[in-house]
Amino acid sequence: MPLFDYHCPQCGADFELLVRASTTPTCPHCGSTTLEKAVSRIAPAGKIEAIRLSNRRAADAQGLFNHYSPSERARLLKGKTV
């Protein structure tokens, strides 16, 4: 299911939805079905790596990297691939 950005002209809300091909998207704020597709924003290039490392540190703190060896965990937390 693709993720789309929409703008609702009736209430002015901007939002994103996962939309199946057979469904008509509706505004989560006012329920309108007259929506305009918006251009999706991309993450700034310098922040993508920082976000990924932040998420990896959080996963490590929760114990989700326990199945990796200590050297593999160190590489993951430094931003390298295993």
Side-chain angles (χ1 to χ4, degrees):
M1 290 186 297
L3 184 65
F4 291 106
D5 286 347
Y6 290 99
H7 173 76
C8 179
Q10 287 191 350
C11 68
D14 293 316
F15 54 92
E16 60 185 15
L17 290 174
L18 284 171
V19 181
R20 292 185 180 171
S22 62
T23 61
T24 302
T26 59
C27 177
H29 303 283
C30 69
S32 173
T33 57
T34 57
L35 303 175
E36 300 169 349
K37 278 192 180 179
V39 176
S40 299
R41 293 176 280 172
I42 60 170
K47 294 187 178 187
I48 294 171
E49 184 66 19
I51 292 168
R52 187 163 49 110
L53 288 176
S54 171
N55 290 337
R56 284 183 179 177
R57 283 191 295 271
D60 186 50
Q62 294 174 7
L64 300 177
F65 287 166
N66 289 341
H67 60 286
Y68 289 105
S69 70
S71 63
E72 289 174 328
R73 283 175 60 193
R75 288 179 59 197
L76 281 170
L77 296 173
K78 287 184 182 175
K80 311 236 188 250
T81 58
V82 176

